[in-house]
Amino acid sequence: MRHNTPKATLNILFGCMLATTAVAGTSEPHQQTDHRPARHQEAAQSVQAAQQARRPWVGVEPLPAGTDCPADVAPGRTVNVLAIDGGGVRGIIPAAVLAYIEARANRPVAELFDLLAGVSTRSLIAVSLSKPGSDSRPAVAAWQVAEGYLNDVQHLFPGGLTFELARTNGLLLPKYRAEVLEDLLRERLGHLYLSELIGEVIVPTYDLRSNRARLFQSADARADPGRDYLVRDMLRAATAAPSIYPPKRLADRDGRETLLGVDAGLFVNNPAELAEAEARALWPSRGVTLLSLGTGVQSAPVVNLSSNFGLVDWVPGLLYVGAYGQETVATLESVRQLEEARAPDDRHGLRLSPRLSPASVSQFDASPAHMELLLRDAATLIDTERAALDQMVRLLLCVKRR
């Protein structure tokens, strides 16, 4: 499903009902000691079944050289902005789209966009793509991020009845152990600070101490050490969905503890409008080319229509009623702003979010079968929207001409 305007979505109304945490990959498959029961180790190994699914980024050829660029899309006149929704294991969908874009452009994603923003698990994508290598160029390719999802979600989202009972299914204890996520982030990111990322990166979170939304911004971190944080700590807070992972205490570069952070899905799931606003603040005289990537919407009713509509019946559905309802309102508001406040040649945008198959709507089912379904949804989206994606790649390259 394609929309040409960004949409803001509230992903979490009741934190105990939703997980929004997975981790992007690196150039080498993640290796760590597995202390889980043998049956969980077998489940992790069975991810190979999902890895046999079609990879929509494999075999993609670069676009032919040379393209006609609109007069208003040019270096120095336009900035490229990427915004990625939250959505748990469904992060494989935008990761696959970005791997396709990177292959068509024959350029790293971080070199195509001036500003990257991601919510919850998608903050992991934005940061992974912006991590500098030894040559100061991006260290990780988008296809490696996508492959990393398939490898890591088995560790981050263990399941099974015994596990659910041991962790009380998120009712009395956080559903998942933070140590696995923290070890992975430490191994992948080490002592990397926000100020050291390539380009401009925005990661929203929510501070439980001040009851305020907080934005981690690489531009602010470079200007003020008091707003510079270890990337691994920032991401740990940004993915701490209530009852899924515990909140994260953060200390700035000077060692001062400044906030108690949780997942930004509490107040925003689609960061497109936020990212565009920040881009216009950083580059007030330039137009914006915006790519907004969602993690899919379901077509089936979110509430059991034959239920008695009591609290037990409503709570799981309210989560999605709020999410999809806010998405619709935000879309209407975006259309109004575009019609009333912006010049028609000031902005180019593409919103992509697939209509999910009925069996692939879960945000934290990391089973190989479910991951394969999500890969198929991603492949269908890319096949359906190939012309629009290729046009977006051309616009991005017009701004980033060498």
mmCIF file of all heavy atoms in Angstrom, residues 194-195 200-201 215-228 278 282:
data_model
loop_
_atom_site.group_PDB
_atom_site.id
_atom_site.type_symbol
_atom_site.label_atom_id
_atom_site.label_comp_id
_atom_site.label_asym_id
_atom_site.label_seq_id
_atom_site.Cartn_x
_atom_site.Cartn_y
_atom_site.Cartn_z
ATOM 1 N N LEU A 194 27.029 8.803 19.908
ATOM 2 C CA LEU A 194 26.071 9.385 18.975
ATOM 3 C C LEU A 194 26.732 10.409 18.065
ATOM 4 O O LEU A 194 26.429 10.488 16.867
ATOM 5 C CB LEU A 194 24.926 10.021 19.770
ATOM 6 C CG LEU A 194 23.832 10.765 19.015
ATOM 7 C CD1 LEU A 194 23.134 9.851 18.012
ATOM 8 C CD2 LEU A 194 22.817 11.351 19.999
ATOM 9 N N SER A 195 27.638 11.198 18.593
ATOM 10 C CA SER A 195 28.301 12.250 17.822
ATOM 11 C C SER A 195 29.185 11.697 16.713
ATOM 12 O O SER A 195 29.569 12.437 15.800
ATOM 13 C CB SER A 195 29.149 13.120 18.750
ATOM 14 O OG SER A 195 30.147 12.332 19.393
ATOM 15 N N GLU A 200 23.289 12.815 9.810
ATOM 16 C CA GLU A 200 22.372 13.194 10.878
ATOM 17 C C GLU A 200 21.438 12.024 11.192
ATOM 18 O O GLU A 200 20.811 11.465 10.296
ATOM 19 C CB GLU A 200 21.552 14.421 10.475
ATOM 20 C CG GLU A 200 22.392 15.643 10.146
ATOM 21 C CD GLU A 200 23.289 16.060 11.309
ATOM 22 O OE1 GLU A 200 22.915 15.817 12.482
ATOM 23 O OE2 GLU A 200 24.373 16.622 11.049
ATOM 24 N N VAL A 201 21.363 11.678 12.460
ATOM 25 C CA VAL A 201 20.530 10.566 12.923
ATOM 26 C C VAL A 201 19.647 11.066 14.057
ATOM 27 O O VAL A 201 20.104 11.796 14.945
ATOM 28 C CB VAL A 201 21.389 9.382 13.401
ATOM 29 C CG1 VAL A 201 20.508 8.261 13.965
ATOM 30 C CG2 VAL A 201 22.258 8.851 12.263
ATOM 31 N N LEU A 215 14.523 13.527 22.246
ATOM 32 C CA LEU A 215 15.091 13.217 20.940
ATOM 33 C C LEU A 215 16.608 13.131 21.062
ATOM 34 O O LEU A 215 17.259 14.087 21.516
ATOM 35 C CB LEU A 215 14.739 14.287 19.908
ATOM 36 C CG LEU A 215 13.300 14.372 19.428
ATOM 37 C CD1 LEU A 215 13.193 15.448 18.357
ATOM 38 C CD2 LEU A 215 12.827 13.037 18.882
ATOM 39 N N PHE A 216 17.156 11.998 20.684
ATOM 40 C CA PHE A 216 18.597 11.889 20.528
ATOM 41 C C PHE A 216 18.928 12.313 19.101
ATOM 42 O O PHE A 216 18.422 11.735 18.133
ATOM 43 C CB PHE A 216 19.056 10.448 20.746
ATOM 44 C CG PHE A 216 18.822 9.934 22.134
ATOM 45 C CD1 PHE A 216 17.816 9.020 22.384
ATOM 46 C CD2 PHE A 216 19.603 10.359 23.185
ATOM 47 C CE1 PHE A 216 17.596 8.524 23.652
ATOM 48 C CE2 PHE A 216 19.395 9.878 24.474
ATOM 49 C CZ PHE A 216 18.385 8.956 24.701
ATOM 50 N N GLN A 217 19.781 13.333 18.961
ATOM 51 C CA GLN A 217 20.147 13.857 17.648
ATOM 52 C C GLN A 217 21.657 13.980 17.550
ATOM 53 O O GLN A 217 22.303 14.562 18.428
ATOM 54 C CB GLN A 217 19.502 15.220 17.408
ATOM 55 C CG GLN A 217 17.989 15.184 17.329
ATOM 56 C CD GLN A 217 17.408 16.557 17.050
ATOM 57 O OE1 GLN A 217 16.891 17.217 17.941
ATOM 58 N NE2 GLN A 217 17.492 16.972 15.796
ATOM 59 N N SER A 218 22.212 13.442 16.484
ATOM 60 C CA SER A 218 23.660 13.490 16.326
ATOM 61 C C SER A 218 24.162 14.927 16.213
ATOM 62 O O SER A 218 25.254 15.251 16.692
ATOM 63 C CB SER A 218 24.087 12.671 15.109
ATOM 64 O OG SER A 218 23.374 13.045 13.958
ATOM 65 N N ALA A 219 23.363 15.809 15.601
ATOM 66 C CA ALA A 219 23.775 17.216 15.499
ATOM 67 C C ALA A 219 23.906 17.845 16.874
ATOM 68 O O ALA A 219 24.867 18.581 17.145
ATOM 69 C CB ALA A 219 22.770 17.993 14.649
ATOM 70 N N ASP A 220 22.954 17.573 17.763
ATOM 71 C CA ASP A 220 23.029 18.100 19.131
ATOM 72 C C ASP A 220 24.213 17.502 19.881
ATOM 73 O O ASP A 220 24.882 18.192 20.664
ATOM 74 C CB ASP A 220 21.733 17.788 19.875
ATOM 75 C CG ASP A 220 20.546 18.548 19.336
ATOM 76 O OD1 ASP A 220 20.752 19.563 18.646
ATOM 77 O OD2 ASP A 220 19.404 18.120 19.586
ATOM 78 N N ALA A 221 24.462 16.212 19.653
ATOM 79 C CA ALA A 221 25.555 15.542 20.354
ATOM 80 C C ALA A 221 26.910 16.135 19.972
ATOM 81 O O ALA A 221 27.816 16.237 20.809
ATOM 82 C CB ALA A 221 25.523 14.054 20.056
ATOM 83 N N ARG A 222 27.045 16.521 18.716
ATOM 84 C CA ARG A 222 28.319 17.113 18.293
ATOM 85 C C ARG A 222 28.516 18.504 18.884
ATOM 86 O O ARG A 222 29.644 18.929 19.121
ATOM 87 C CB ARG A 222 28.372 17.185 16.762
ATOM 88 C CG ARG A 222 28.353 15.816 16.090
ATOM 89 C CD ARG A 222 28.518 15.928 14.583
ATOM 90 N NE ARG A 222 28.249 14.644 13.946
ATOM 91 C CZ ARG A 222 27.161 14.358 13.261
ATOM 92 N NH1 ARG A 222 26.231 15.297 13.080
ATOM 93 N NH2 ARG A 222 26.978 13.167 12.738
ATOM 94 N N ALA A 223 27.417 19.184 19.125
ATOM 95 C CA ALA A 223 27.506 20.555 19.643
ATOM 96 C C ALA A 223 27.614 20.608 21.162
ATOM 97 O O ALA A 223 28.148 21.584 21.705
ATOM 98 C CB ALA A 223 26.283 21.358 19.195
ATOM 99 N N ASP A 224 27.126 19.582 21.847
ATOM 100 C CA ASP A 224 27.044 19.622 23.312
ATOM 101 C C ASP A 224 27.355 18.244 23.884
ATOM 102 O O ASP A 224 26.551 17.320 23.741
ATOM 103 C CB ASP A 224 25.639 20.062 23.730
ATOM 104 C CG ASP A 224 25.471 20.134 25.241
ATOM 105 O OD1 ASP A 224 26.457 19.901 25.967
ATOM 106 O OD2 ASP A 224 24.342 20.410 25.688
ATOM 107 N N PRO A 225 28.508 18.058 24.553
ATOM 108 C CA PRO A 225 28.841 16.762 25.150
ATOM 109 C C PRO A 225 27.790 16.290 26.158
ATOM 110 O O PRO A 225 27.655 15.084 26.388
ATOM 111 C CB PRO A 225 30.183 17.019 25.838
ATOM 112 C CG PRO A 225 30.771 18.191 25.112
ATOM 113 C CD PRO A 225 29.595 19.043 24.722
ATOM 114 N N GLY A 226 27.048 17.215 26.722
ATOM 115 C CA GLY A 226 26.003 16.845 27.663
ATOM 116 C C GLY A 226 24.819 16.154 27.000
ATOM 117 O O GLY A 226 23.947 15.613 27.690
ATOM 118 N N ARG A 227 24.796 16.156 25.665
ATOM 119 C CA ARG A 227 23.727 15.480 24.927
ATOM 120 C C ARG A 227 24.277 14.352 24.073
ATOM 121 O O ARG A 227 23.620 13.883 23.144
ATOM 122 C CB ARG A 227 22.977 16.502 24.070
ATOM 123 C CG ARG A 227 22.397 17.650 24.870
ATOM 124 C CD ARG A 227 21.605 18.615 24.031
ATOM 125 N NE ARG A 227 20.331 18.044 23.624
ATOM 126 C CZ ARG A 227 19.380 18.738 22.992
ATOM 127 N NH1 ARG A 227 19.584 20.020 22.713
ATOM 128 N NH2 ARG A 227 18.256 18.165 22.640
ATOM 129 N N ASP A 228 25.494 13.935 24.406
ATOM 130 C CA ASP A 228 26.146 12.848 23.683
ATOM 131 C C ASP A 228 26.090 11.579 24.532
ATOM 132 O O ASP A 228 26.415 11.610 25.721
ATOM 133 C CB ASP A 228 27.604 13.219 23.376
ATOM 134 C CG ASP A 228 28.195 12.389 22.254
ATOM 135 O OD1 ASP A 228 27.434 11.666 21.590
ATOM 136 O OD2 ASP A 228 29.420 12.480 22.041
ATOM 137 N N GLU A 278 12.626 18.267 11.513
ATOM 138 C CA GLU A 278 14.015 18.466 11.923
ATOM 139 C C GLU A 278 14.895 18.785 10.725
ATOM 140 O O GLU A 278 15.822 19.597 10.827
ATOM 141 C CB GLU A 278 14.522 17.217 12.650
ATOM 142 C CG GLU A 278 13.853 16.964 13.994
ATOM 143 C CD GLU A 278 14.032 18.126 14.942
ATOM 144 O OE1 GLU A 278 15.158 18.705 14.984
ATOM 145 O OE2 GLU A 278 13.060 18.485 15.628
ATOM 146 N N LEU A 282 17.229 22.095 10.272
ATOM 147 C CA LEU A 282 18.664 22.042 10.016
ATOM 148 C C LEU A 282 19.031 22.704 8.693
ATOM 149 O O LEU A 282 20.098 23.314 8.568
ATOM 150 C CB LEU A 282 19.135 20.583 10.006
ATOM 151 C CG LEU A 282 19.177 19.865 11.353
ATOM 152 C CD1 LEU A 282 19.406 18.370 11.155
ATOM 153 C CD2 LEU A 282 20.274 20.454 12.238
#
